[in-house]
Amino acid sequence: MREAIIEFSGVEVKYGEVEALRGIDLKIPGGKVTVIIGPSGCGKSTMIRTVNRMVEPTRGTVRYQGQDVKTFDKIELRRQMGYAIQNVGLIPHLTVEENILLVPRLLGWSEDKKKKRAKELLDLIGLDAGKYANKYPSELSGGEAQRVGVARALGADPPVLLFDEPFGAVDPLKREELQDEFIRIQRRLRKTVLFITHDLSEAIRLADYMVIMKDGVVVQADAPERLLKEPGSDFVEQFLGTDRTLQRLTLLTADRIARPLRAEKEEFVGLSGVSWKPLEEGEILAKFKKDSGEFAYRTVRVSIHAARPYASLKECVSRFLALGLPAIPVVDDSGKVVAEVLFDDIQRITKEG
Amino acid sequence: MGIGILVLVSWFLIAAGRLDALGVLKEALNRQDRLVAEIVNHVRISSSAVLIASFLGIPAAFLISKGSKARKAFLGLMNVLQTIPSIALFGLLIAPLAALSRSFPLLREMGIRGIGDAPAIIALSIYALYPILRNTLAGIEGVSPSVLDSGEAMGMSRREMLRIIIIPLTLPFIVHGVRLAMIQSIANATLGKLIGAGGLGVFVFEGLGQYSVDMVVLGIIFLALLTIGADALFRIVGYAVVPKALRKQYYSEDRSS
C-alpha cells in the first residue's frame, strides 16, 4: 500500500447522546479509490466530513499528509479537497461553467486559466463545452447535473476527492455510465478518492480499497478481491451476499484478462482463432473456423457485442451470450480494436474459488 | 387599514353624488403650495418608516434565521403588533414620546415631540417591520441546504457564501417585502394627520372636517398615485434584481400579491 495520505486515529463523533463514530482507526492510501460502504446510519458521511472539517471529532485525530487537520485553516483545507454529494447542490443562478469554476474563482485564477480549465473539465466529463457551458442547472438532466457536480469537485485539480453518493440520484442505467466515466477519469488522474456508496456492485467496481462500516465502526477494510474471497465475519459475509463469484466478475475488468491481438493487413488476429476486421461505423466482421473446417462470418455490432477495456467481466459475459463466439473484441474509447477476451479465461476465473 | 378608509371614503363620496371634477381642479390650483408640501411630507414620512424598518428588519431576519427559539419569539411578537389598529398605536406613542422629549431637550431640538411626524414615523416603522422581516426570512430559508452545504464544503468563507449565494437568491424576496411595506406605509401615513403629522392625510381629514369634498378627493387621488407609483417602481426593481437564470421560475407563478 502506498503511503497513507489520510489517517484516522481513534476518531469519535458524538452528537449529544448519539454516537455517530465510535472509534475509527484507518489509513487511506494515496492515489487510490477507497470506497466506504455500509448500512444507513453507519457513519460513513460523518467520517468523510471529518476530513474536510465539516464535522469536528469529539475525540481522536484526523491527519492529512501527516498533519492534524485542525492545524490547517478550514477554508484552505477545503479548497484542496473536491466534494461532491448526492443532491449535487449546484448553485441555481450560476451557469454550468461558473459552477465548475467555483473553487478556481475563490483561488483567484486568471480568466484565461479559468476558461481553459472549464473546457478541459467539460471535455473530461463528456459534455460539449459549446452547448453546456452557459446552461443553467435547471436545464440539466439528472445525469448531466451529477457529472457537472464531479467536474466542479475537480475544479481546481485538488489532490483529494470526497464523494458522498455522487451517483445516487440517477437511474441504474445512467449510474453504470457514470461509473464508467469515473473509472476512465480516475485512470487518467489517479486522485486520492474517498467514495461513499450503499450500492455493493458500485463499490466492487470502483474500489481499490474497500471499507465496510457498521454502527460507527470499521468492520473490515481490505482490497475488494480479498474481502470477497475471505470475508472476516458473519456480518461481512451476509453483507457481501451469497453470490460472491458473480461479484468477483463485477470486480475484474476486461483489460485484466484480455489477450493481445496481432495486426495482419486489415484484420486483427489472436489466440482465439477469430479474426476481427473493423468495418464501417460501429461494426466489425468476425471470421472463424467452424468445427467442419469451413470459414464462417458474423457481423459484430460494437455497441452490443464488444467491451471497453474497463468493462466488468460480468458485462463481458452478457456480450458473449449475445455474440455466441469463443471471444469478444475489446474496443477502446476511440473505437479501435485493441484486444480480445476469451471465454475460457472467464471460466478459469470463476473456477478459482 | 388606511386603504380601507380610502376605499370607504371614495365610495361614500361617489354614492352621495358629490364628485365634481371641476371643483377638484379649482381646489388643486388654489392650494398648490400646500399640496406639493404635503405630498413631499407624505413621501418623506412613509419612506423614512420603510427605511428604518429595512435597516432593522433585514439584518434581524439574517440573525434569527439560525435559531428556532429566537425565530418563533420574534415572529410571534410581530404578529401581535400587526393586529393593533394604527390609530391606536399612534395614540399610544404620544405619551411616552412626549415624556422623552420633555426630559431630553436634544430630542426637542431635533423636532421629536409627542405629536407630529416623530410618533407617526415610529409607528409606521413598527408596522413596516413585519412584511420586511417575514419576506426576507422566506428568501433566506428558501436557499437549498444542499447548495449551502456544498458551498461551505468547497471552501467558501461565510462572506463569500453571502455574496455569491445567499444575497443574490434572497434579494428578490427582500425587494418584495419592501414593496409591501411601502404600500402599507403610504396608506397608513394618511392617519398621521390625526396626531399632528403632515402628509396627504391633511387634505383628507381637513376636507372631511370642512365638508369640502373636493379637498378629500384631491387627497385621495394623490394617495392613489403615490401608491401606484411606488408599487410600479418596486416591481421594476424587483424584476431587475432577480438573477437571470431564475426569472422564468419566479415569474411563471402567479404574482398576485
Side-chain angles (χ1 to χ4, degrees):
Chain A
M1 193 197 284
R2 291 228 313 253
E3 198 191 303
I5 288 233
I6 299 173
E7 249 186 84
F8 294 86
S9 316
V11 173
E12 278 178 39
V13 173
K14 245 178 139 178
Y15 297 116
E17 285 305 310
V18 181
E19 293 177 309
L21 291 179
R22 298 190 292 143
I24 307 281
D25 291 284
L26 207 54
K27 286 197 172 68
I28 309 291
K32 305 257 182 217
V33 178
T34 300
V35 174
I36 303 168
I37 191 172
S40 300
C42 65
K44 353 187 249 286
S45 294
T46 310
M47 189 165 101
I48 208 180
R49 284 160 75 88
T50 57
V51 178
N52 64 0
R53 292 186 67 187
M54 292 292 282
V55 167
E56 303 277 15
T58 39
R59 250 210 201 154
T61 330
V62 180
R63 263 179 266 270
Y64 173 55
Q65 294 179 333
Q67 263 182 280
D68 186 342
V69 290
K70 285 212 184 87
T71 62
F72 290 86
D73 170 51
K74 251 194 239 186
I75 303 223
E76 309 234 344
L77 180 69
R78 290 171 186 167
R79 292 180 185 178
Q80 287 184 54
M81 301 181 173
Y83 187 69
I85 53 176
Q86 181 168 342
N87 295 332
V88 196
L90 292 180
I91 302 174
H93 60 287
L94 297 182
T95 61
V96 163
E97 183 172 303
E98 288 169 330
N99 263 288
I100 292 180
L101 292 175
L102 196 55
V103 183
R105 168 186 176 176
L106 296 176
L107 293 173
W109 285 19
S110 71
E111 282 305 315
D112 281 340
K113 206 170 168 202
K114 286 199 293 195
K115 264 254 163 308
K116 258 185 73 200
R117 183 68 181 156
K119 176 136 201 319
E120 247 173 53
L121 287 169
L122 282 166
D123 283 339
L124 193 65
I125 58 172
L127 291 178
D128 175 29
K131 238 177 103 192
Y132 284 90
N134 290 318
K135 278 201 175 183
Y136 285 101
S138 56
E139 300 172 297
L140 300 174
S141 71
E144 290 165 347
Q146 306 245 250
R147 283 190 186 154
V148 173
V150 170
R152 189 172 67 162
L154 288 167
D157 204 20
V160 173
L161 294 174
L162 304 173
F163 282 178
D164 193 342
E165 309 254 20
F167 307 145
V170 287
D171 61 76
L173 203 65
K174 253 271 132 27
R175 206 168 166 156
E176 254 193 66
E177 271 182 48
L178 289 173
Q179 287 164 13
D180 289 344
E181 297 265 316
F182 177 79
I183 294 176
R184 191 169 51 81
I185 296 174
Q186 173 61 4
R187 280 176 184 214
R188 265 178 61 182
L189 304 178
R190 307 231 168 255
K191 301 278 183 202
T192 303
V193 183
L194 269 180
F195 193 113
I196 292 180
T197 181
H198 66 272
D199 184 318
L200 191 57
S201 22
E202 183 168 81
I204 294 175
R205 270 199 91 190
L206 304 178
D208 294 315
Y209 188 58
M210 205 157 116
V211 175
I212 301 184
M213 284 183 71
K214 180 179 190 244
D215 293 332
V217 285
V218 173
V219 175
Q220 199 176 346
D222 209 339
E225 292 131 56
R226 256 172 280 160
L227 276 175
L228 286 169
K229 266 208 180 137
E230 296 149 40
S233 63
D234 283 343
F235 169 71
V236 174
E237 203 174 326
Q238 263 187 349
F239 189 76
L240 295 176
T242 44
D243 208 347
R244 295 204 300 278
T245 309
L246 196 58
Q247 282 163 2
R248 286 180 66 220
L249 286 183
T250 313
L251 172 66
L252 295 169
T253 50
D255 56 2
R256 284 276 292 264
I257 64 167
R259 303 281 190 161
L261 295 171
R262 232 175 35 244
E264 273 184 13
K265 292 194 218 151
E266 288 171 359
E267 298 177 346
F268 294 91
V269 189
L271 268 178
S272 64
V274 180
S275 76
W276 311 99
K277 182 171 167 186
L279 298 175
E280 296 287 302
E281 299 290 313
E283 288 193 343
I284 299 175
L285 188 63
K287 186 169 90 173
F288 58 100
K289 243 200 200 147
K290 293 212 307 208
D291 290 332
S292 59
E294 290 168 36
F295 279 111
Y297 296 88
R298 200 163 292 177
T299 314
V300 174
R301 291 251 282 283
V302 171
S303 52
I304 305 177
H305 305 119
R308 291 277 141 84
Y310 46 79
S312 68
L313 292 188
K314 189 165 143 214
E315 254 183 77
C316 293
V317 170
S318 62
R319 305 213 171 206
F320 271 113
L321 295 175
L323 185 56
L325 290 179
I328 53 169
V330 178
V331 171
D332 71 9
D333 284 327
S334 57
K336 266 178 53 200
V337 176
V338 292
E340 64 179 4
V341 171
L342 303 182
F343 193 69
D344 286 343
D345 287 335
I346 294 189
Q347 280 211 305
R348 214 176 11 92
I349 300 263
T350 59
K351 289 209 187 110
E352 288 173 3
Chain B
M1 189 193 165
I3 290 195
I5 293 189
L6 246 107
V7 171
L8 219 57
V9 171
S10 316
W11 171 84
F12 174 76
L13 292 171
I14 292 171
R18 283 167 153 269
L19 215 50
D20 180 354
L22 212 52
V24 174
L25 267 164
K26 259 197 274 173
E27 201 65 55
L29 286 169
N30 280 345
R31 300 176 195 263
Q32 253 182 131
D33 293 336
R34 194 140 184 242
L35 184 60
V36 171
E38 295 303 356
I39 292 177
V40 170
N41 275 334
H42 202 99
V43 171
R44 186 172 52 83
I45 292 174
S46 18
S47 309
S48 308
V50 171
L51 222 69
I52 293 174
S54 302
F55 270 105
L56 292 175
I58 296 173
F62 278 95
L63 288 173
I64 70 175
S65 67
K66 318 260 190 64
S68 68
K69 255 191 289 181
R71 198 178 174 284
K72 267 193 223 150
F74 239 87
L75 285 179
L77 178 64
M78 293 280 108
N79 247 313
V80 170
L81 288 173
Q82 289 290 110
T83 62
I84 303 178
S86 17
I87 298 181
L89 192 57
F90 285 177
L92 278 172
L93 286 170
I94 294 180
L97 271 176
L100 273 170
S101 114
R102 248 175 282 139
S103 359
F104 296 101
L106 179 60
L107 291 175
R108 180 142 344 120
E109 303 275 314
M110 284 170 37
I112 296 181
R113 295 175 296 148
I115 53 172
D117 291 352
I121 294 180
I122 293 177
L124 289 172
S125 311
I126 294 177
Y127 286 113
L129 263 178
Y130 186 68
I132 290 178
L133 188 72
R134 208 156 159 261
N135 280 280
T136 306
L137 203 58
I140 296 173
E141 294 176 343
V143 181
S144 153
S146 322
V147 174
L148 293 173
D149 185 64
S150 51
E152 200 185 335
M154 286 192 296
M156 292 179 91
S157 64
R158 181 76 191 158
R159 252 166 139 215
E160 284 159 341
M161 294 235 290
L162 276 170
R163 185 170 52 92
I164 300 176
I165 302 179
I166 300 178
I167 291 181
L169 289 175
T170 310
L171 216 45
F173 290 84
I174 295 180
V175 173
H176 186 67
V178 170
R179 179 168 67 84
L180 295 177
M182 196 69 207
I183 294 176
Q184 180 194 54
S185 298
I186 290 176
N188 278 341
T190 313
L191 298 164
K193 157 72 176 140
L194 299 174
I195 55 165
L200 287 165
V202 165
F203 277 79
V204 175
F205 287 103
E206 275 188 17
L208 284 172
Q210 298 170 16
Y211 296 94
S212 165
V213 173
D214 298 322
M215 263 189 91
V216 177
V217 170
L218 198 54
I220 292 175
I221 289 177
F222 279 96
L223 275 170
L225 287 174
L226 271 183
T227 307
I228 294 172
D231 185 58
L233 176 66
F234 280 101
R235 278 191 196 269
I236 293 175
V237 172
Y239 183 78
V241 126
V242 173
K244 230 192 319 171
L246 302 169
R247 254 179 212 156
K248 245 192 288 174
Q249 192 188 331
Y250 283 7
Y251 283 91
S252 64
E253 306 156 27
D254 186 25
R255 308 279 286 174
S256 54
S257 56

